[in-house]
Amino acid sequence: MKKMLLILILQVALVESLTEVSGYPGDTIILHSGADPSWKLSSIEWSIFSNNTWIATHRNSKTIIERVDRYKGRLELNISSGDLTIKNLAKEDSMEYTVHFTNTKRQNSGNKTKLTVRQRLQKPTLNKTYKSEEGGCRLWLLCSSTDNGVDVSWQGEAPGVTVFNKLNPDGNSAILKAFLKTTQDSANFTCTSSKNTEKASTNVTLKCDDDKPQPPDPDNQYRRRDGLIYVFSMMFLLSFFIIPFYREV
C-alpha cells in the first residue's frame, strides 16, 4: 500500500505544467511533451482521463499507438522528442492529455496538455431585397450568422454609391442599404463574421438589373390585399340582404 502511494505521489510530481492548445475539426495538431532536447528518452507514456488510460507508449524500444479504438490510424509518436501528433481532429478529442517520460539516466518528468477542438465559423448568409427606381435601384441586404458571440459587419465602398451600414444590437447581423445608378457597372461589398482572431466572409456584387423581373412593391401588395378584403366584405353584405329578399318573393 505504501509503495503504491509513493508511485502516485511521484507521478503527480512528474507533471510540471499545463499547456493549452486548440485546433479545428479535421486538422492535424502536435502535442509537445516538453522533454529536454538533450535527453535520450527510454520510455514515453501518453494517457487520457483520470485513470491514466494509455493511448500511445514507447517502452523497451517498442512503440504502440493503437491502444484505443477512437485514435486508431490517427496518432504518431516521435520517440526522440516525445511529441504526440493527432490527425483528423474530432470534437471528442477535446480533453487533457498527460505525458510521462524517462531518459536513459532514469530521470523522470512529465507534462499535461489541454486540447480544445473548436468549430470553425460559418460563412454569413445574405438576404437581398431589390427595388427599381427612376435612374437607378435601391437594395437592402441583411447579412447574418448562425454562430453565437460573433460580430458581423460590412466592408467595401464604391464611388457614387450611396450606402447606409447598420449594425443590429445582437451583433449577429448587419444591414446594408445602397442606392445605385443604372449607369454604374457594379459595386462590391463583403460581409464579415468575426470572433476573437477568426473570420469568415461572404462577398456580394451589387448591380442594377433592369432586365430582370423584380418582386412586387410591398406597398402595392398591401393595397391589393386591402382591395380584395373590401370586395369580399361587400359580397358578404349583399348576400346577407339579397338572399332573404328572394325568399320572401
Side-chain angles (χ1 to χ4, degrees), residues 56-67:
T57 60
H58 175 75
R59 304 190 198 97
N60 301 319
S61 301
K62 185 178 181 180
T63 303
I64 304 176
I65 56 175
E66 302 287 330
R67 289 184 169 275

Side-chain angles (χ1 to χ4, degrees), residues 171-182:
N172 279 42
S173 61
I175 298 174
L176 178 72
K177 299 179 181 179
F179 179 81
L180 285 79
K181 297 178 182 177
T182 52

